[in-house]
Amino acid sequence: MPSTLPAGSPAPADGRLPTDVLAELAARPFGVYVHVPFCTVRCGYCDFNTYTASELGTAPGASRADYADAVRRELDLAADVLGSPPPVSSVFFGGGTPTLLPPADLTGIVAAVADRWGLAPDAEVTSEANPDSVDAESLAALRAGGINRISFGMQSAEPEVLATLDRTHDPARVPAVVAAARAAGFDQVSLDLIYGTPGETLEQWRRSIEAALAMEPDHVSAYALVVEPGTALERRVRRGELPAPDDDDLADKYALADELLGRAGYAWYEISNWARRPEARCRHNRLYWTGGHWWGFGPGAHSHVGGVRWWNVKHPAAYAARLAAGDSPAHARETLGVETRRLERVLLESRLSDGLELGVLDAAGQQALPDLVADGLVEPPRDRLVLTRRGRLLADAVVRALVP
Ligand SMILES: C[S@@+](CC[C@H](N)C(=O)[O-])C[C@H]1O[C@@H](n2cnc3c(N)ncnc32)[C@H](O)[C@@H]1O
Ligand code: SF4
């Protein structure tokens, strides 16, 4: 069970992490996630921890201008807790919209991370970016400051679909910023797409994939639209203004994406992610899926080190206030038991093309395998369990069969 930390707790695990937990740090990659909780408008489908300027108002300490300083304070605290972890293998700025901050704030945080812990020589340093929040100049500044991978929230090439999603960018802006990113020296460019938006036809989805492929990204993520509770989209669906996403339509759209991306030379490596070359797989996300360690900075950010997981207070003002008082922003933590860690491995690693080591399955899971293979959900066993395309469509059911 998660335990809530008292407001004055100096750090996760009351200032320390047990030595056996810290000892695990050396065994797997260590990454840094920085959550940037600001957006110009809130998209109706999104329930991420992000705030528009009017939602934040004049809450003390929560301004964009003060944000990088607050993150640097958390970095000081993390350095005290972790001591000398191995050099950081990946940094990921996610949001929200990280690129609403001046580039110098983001690159200053990269420099501070490098200063405290060192960056591995081949470290992957990603920022998410909304297409209308960057230009040639800001992209050049991000690249010059050490960010070497950029992930654009394209979502769709169709104006109608973008409008339903409340996305503000002109679809023509995406090829322009991809070209600007290339000109700035980004070798790793990723595009995020969403399928299953109410009213989106299969033909519109095909055109979005083709438009993405025409930009020759190194990496593509395609997510099924989830109608999250409490969002404006959910209210519109509930009122009958928009139809709910349909499972068969989502399955057809996933199959089309996998087909077109595969034909263009992009191989899936996680259910929702495709890469043009093995080196273009997102190393930071792989760390989440393969039991790596990471410290998540920022309001609401989650961290994991050696089976201990903790997360920060959610509101940017509360986050800033904790740090300004010299306190940890951690809100709660939990220690994962051996069985929980095994279940998480099944859940996450079965979604990867590298697959799940069969030895992780218990007797019930091993017994379920022959039926899953006979049903065409799992490739015939080698030493790892790998989902077929049909299995990827029914991944939740496969996991339920493996961990009944
Ligand atoms: C939270 S956003 C942050 C980056 C940036 N602000 C953007 O929108 O691209 C990261 C990705 O999550 C996707 N996302 C957010 N809510 C979603 C939902 N309900 N269903 C599917 N994808 C979602 C976004 O569209 C985006 O591609
Ligand atoms: S821009 Fe991205 S993070 Fe912001 S509300 Fe939209 S989907 Fe969410």
Side-chain angles (χ1 to χ4, degrees), residues 1-309:
M1 279 295 286
S3 64
T4 303
L5 299 171
S9 288
D14 301 330
R16 284 170 299 279
L17 286 169
T19 39
D20 56 327
V21 167
L22 285 173
E24 277 199 45
L25 256 178
R28 283 175 188 273
F30 172 58
V32 163
Y33 173 74
V34 183
H35 186 69
V36 181
F38 308 116
C39 284
T40 309
V41 293
R42 175 175 289 275
C43 307
Y45 62 92
C46 177
D47 77 341
F48 279 61
N49 188 35
T50 187
Y51 303 82
T52 61
S54 65
E55 282 168 344
L56 279 181
T58 52
S63 78
R64 291 179 195 172
D66 297 335
Y67 190 67
D69 278 343
V71 170
R72 267 193 285 266
R73 285 200 187 104
E74 192 183 354
L75 200 50
D76 288 340
L77 182 143
D80 283 348
V81 172
L82 294 183
S84 313
V88 172
S89 60
S90 58
V91 180
F92 194 103
F93 292 95
T97 307
T99 42
L100 282 184
L101 293 181
D105 283 8
L106 301 182
T107 59
I109 293 170
V110 176
V113 170
D115 191 42
R116 303 281 192 305
W117 291 323
L119 288 178
D122 58 346
E124 175 192 272
V125 185
T126 303
S127 182
E128 293 183 332
N130 288 31
D132 45 11
S133 67
V134 286
D135 57 21
E137 200 185 327
S138 65
L139 288 164
L142 293 171
R143 183 67 197 90
I147 293 173
N148 55 25
R149 183 172 182 277
I150 191 110
S151 173
F152 290 116
M154 171 180 172
Q155 318 307 351
S156 170
E158 298 288 306
E160 226 178 277
V161 175
L162 289 171
T164 307
L165 291 173
D166 298 324
R167 300 296 296 202
T168 51
H169 66 267
D170 175 344
R173 178 98 193 133
V174 183
V177 291
V178 168
R182 294 296 191 199
F186 280 96
D187 294 334
Q188 298 294 334
V189 174
S190 179
L191 296 175
D192 274 7
L193 294 169
I194 285 185
Y195 58 94
T197 299
E200 180 193 56
T201 65
L202 193 61
E203 208 36 54
Q204 285 178 314
W205 173 232
R206 177 193 296 277
R207 287 203 294 267
S208 289
I209 302 166
E210 285 170 349
L213 287 172
M215 292 177 238
E216 302 188 351
D218 304 279
H219 181 280
V220 174
S221 303
Y223 302 111
L225 180 69
V226 178
V227 179
E228 298 286 359
T231 58
L233 176 67
E234 189 220 24
R235 289 189 289 279
R236 293 180 71 189
V237 169
R238 203 163 2 101
R239 288 198 296 260
E241 287 169 31
L242 293 172
D246 169 79
D247 282 347
D248 290 337
D249 177 63
L250 291 174
D252 289 347
K253 286 175 176 165
Y254 181 83
L256 182 64
D258 195 43
E259 188 62 38
L260 295 180
L261 288 164
R263 229 186 279 160
Y266 294 75
W268 77 282
Y269 69 99
E270 191 274 345
I271 290 183
S272 304
N273 289 280
W274 290 259
R276 213 173 181 182
R277 303 172 300 281
E279 314 80 69
R281 297 173 176 191
C282 177
R283 247 183 287 160
H284 188 78
N285 281 339
R286 284 180 56 75
L287 171 149
Y288 295 151
W289 301 324
T290 57
H293 314 287
W294 70 92
W295 191 298
F297 294 85
H302 286 232
S303 302
H304 167 259
V305 174
V308 178
R309 200 152 51 189

Side-chain angles (χ1 to χ4, degrees), residues 318-341:
Y319 172 76
R322 288 269 193 110
L323 286 161
D327 292 335
S328 163
H331 169 64
R333 67 162 178 268
E334 61 188 341
T335 301
L336 307 176
V338 173
E339 181 59 4
T340 306
R341 290 179 89 175

